Amino acid sequence: MGEWFSLKWFGIGTLGGFHWAQPYYLYGIAAVPFLFFLRRIFYGKSRQRLNVAFLAKEVKTSWVQYLRYLPAVLSALGIMLVLVALARPQLIKETEERFSEGIEIVLALDVSDSMLMKDLAPNRLESAKKVATEFVDGRFQDKIGLVVFAGQAFFLCPLTTDYTLLKQQIVSIKPDIIATAGTAIGSALANCINLMRDSEAKSKVAILLSDGDNTAGNLDPITAAQLANAYGIRVYTIAIGKEDAVVTQDSTDMSLETLDTEVLKDIAQRSKGQFFQVQDTRALKSVFDRINRLEKTNVKVSYYQDIKDFYHIYLKWAICCLLGALALKCTFIGNILED
């Protein structure tokens, strides 16, 4: 912060920024002028005086006569600075380190055409993206990956703790990201397994969100669920959408979609996970909150304090003031009759 003889050590900002380890010494500063006032009262009458007669016209006022107060002023400042040093001004830098044992999570999101249905506002896909982003914000140091699927499935983001990147990838998901029509649930789950099968994390979780039956892909969802169980991966499946929702492709083409949940239930059961069904955005958020609690990460928090003392700065100033007061006593400023 600079050399000890710098006057900035007496700035209001500097003094106000200190943590005082023994602050009660600071109260003694107010008593120092009072003690010198008492000394003047009780000692003034008993001190020796040399009476010398002068004519009034011969008595002249000069600034030199005020120098006799310098030893007392320096002594008072020295005592005050000693009290400041005893109060131990410090700067404390606190550091917080958080550790977690880590959970690996892969989000598998259905982006098929039926996810554009508006039974969840503004539609199923946008609602799922928003809640998934909030879920990512609630995790700490967990590696999270992202898989999207329709008629095909592929990785959109590998396992990472860079949540900013992950959320950007979630936001970037568009309905036409996969041109192949259909719902390849088995392939999506296989991609989740591939991301985590070699991991040594204490907990591995896949969250699969879809609104339909398996209609595409080369791998049967039940086989994929059995593989997930073999690799110790729990699969939470979420069926999104209302029963018998109306799909509108244009103004003249309307069809009725029936939500098939049997496959999703079977996957959750075989992989020792859980199945959820949601019909609105609030319920979807509630499900992700519940998964967040079920797969809670044990976070260990360590606090460190870097303490730096600055009492020596004010002690050096105090010594200079007291030595200055003693030195002035030995000059013409001193009053030999008082000493």
Side-chain angles (χ1 to χ4, degrees), residues 190-204:
N191 280 349
C192 295
I193 295 170
N194 286 334
L195 281 175
M196 296 185 286
R197 64 181 180 179
D198 296 326
S199 170
E200 296 182 357
K202 74 158 193 173
S203 182
K204 294 179 283 187

Side-chain angles (χ1 to χ4, degrees), residues 37-51:
F37 177 72
L38 292 178
R39 176 182 180 275
R40 181 176 180 82
I41 291 177
F42 293 108
Y43 182 67
K45 295 181 179 181
S46 62
R47 66 181 178 175
Q48 304 179 56
R49 290 182 175 86
L50 180 63
N51 295 321

Side-chain angles (χ1 to χ4, degrees), residues 49-332:
R49 290 182 175 86
L50 180 63
N51 295 321
V52 180
F54 291 98
L55 296 174
K57 64 180 181 179
E58 295 178 347
V59 178
K60 298 180 180 180
T61 302
S62 172
W63 62 270
V64 177
Q65 70 185 50
Y66 296 106
L67 292 179
R68 69 178 186 271
Y69 296 111
L70 274 179
V73 171
L74 289 175
S75 297
L77 287 175
I79 296 172
M80 290 179 182
L81 289 169
V82 168
L83 292 172
V84 171
L86 289 172
R88 288 188 62 194
Q90 301 173 334
L91 288 181
I92 299 178
K93 182 179 179 181
E94 293 186 348
T95 305
E96 176 184 307
E97 293 186 1
R98 304 177 72 191
F99 306 91
S100 70
E101 297 178 1
I103 295 175
E104 291 192 351
I105 302 172
V106 178
L107 300 173
L109 183 59
D110 187 348
V111 294
S112 59
D113 292 340
S114 58
M115 289 292 288
L116 297 178
M117 294 179 60
K118 298 182 178 181
D119 49 347
L120 277 76
N123 59 50
R124 293 176 179 178
L125 180 58
E126 291 301 320
S127 179
K129 286 165 56 177
K130 179 181 178 182
V131 176
T133 301
E134 293 174 354
F135 174 79
V136 171
D137 283 330
R139 307 304 299 182
F140 173 75
Q141 286 190 347
D142 296 328
K143 289 184 177 180
I144 304 178
L146 181 62
V147 171
V148 292
F149 66 97
Q152 294 178 325
F154 64 85
F155 308 116
L156 193 59
C157 184
L159 289 167
T160 181
T161 55
D162 187 349
Y163 295 160
T164 301
L165 171 64
L166 180 62
K167 288 187 290 185
Q168 288 174 350
Q169 293 295 332
I170 294 174
V171 171
S172 70
I173 295 174
K174 303 298 181 184
D176 57 355
I177 195 171
I178 299 177
T180 308
T183 307
I185 295 177
S187 298
L189 189 51
N191 280 349
C192 295
I193 295 170
N194 286 334
L195 281 175
M196 296 185 286
R197 64 181 180 179
D198 296 326
S199 170
E200 296 182 357
K202 74 158 193 173
S203 182
K204 294 179 283 187
V205 174
I207 302 174
L208 192 149
L209 190 149
S210 179
D211 65 351
D213 193 7
N214 185 71
T215 60
N218 299 320
L219 182 64
D220 178 62
I222 304 306
T223 303
Q226 292 171 339
L227 286 172
N229 185 51
Y231 283 108
I233 300 172
R234 284 189 302 281
V235 182
Y236 294 95
T237 57
I238 304 173
I240 184 171
K242 296 180 180 179
E243 296 284 354
D244 300 328
V246 177
V247 181
T248 304
Q249 295 178 343
D250 54 49
S251 59
T252 60
D253 187 4
M254 298 179 65
S255 61
L256 194 65
E257 181 187 83
T258 301
L259 187 64
D260 190 343
T261 61
E262 293 305 317
V263 172
L264 297 179
K265 289 179 180 178
D266 206 353
I267 291 173
Q269 182 180 2
R270 291 177 183 271
S271 62
K272 299 179 181 177
Q274 290 189 33
F275 166 78
F276 304 94
Q277 183 173 354
V278 298
Q279 297 185 0
D280 56 54
T281 304
R282 181 179 297 179
L284 180 60
K285 187 178 185 305
S286 177
V287 167
F288 269 93
D289 289 341
R290 183 174 177 183
I291 295 173
N292 192 38
R293 291 192 298 269
L294 289 171
E295 300 297 338
K296 198 67 178 177
T297 304
N298 292 324
V299 180
K300 298 178 181 178
V301 182
S302 298
Y303 293 96
Y304 300 94
Q305 285 188 337
D306 181 14
I307 301 176
K308 190 172 183 180
D309 276 296
F310 292 92
Y311 69 90
H312 55 90
I313 300 293
Y314 298 96
L315 190 58
K316 289 176 182 177
W317 276 98
I319 292 172
C320 289
C321 289
L322 294 174
L323 290 177
L326 290 175
L328 289 175
K329 284 282 190 179
C330 300
T331 66
F332 71 95

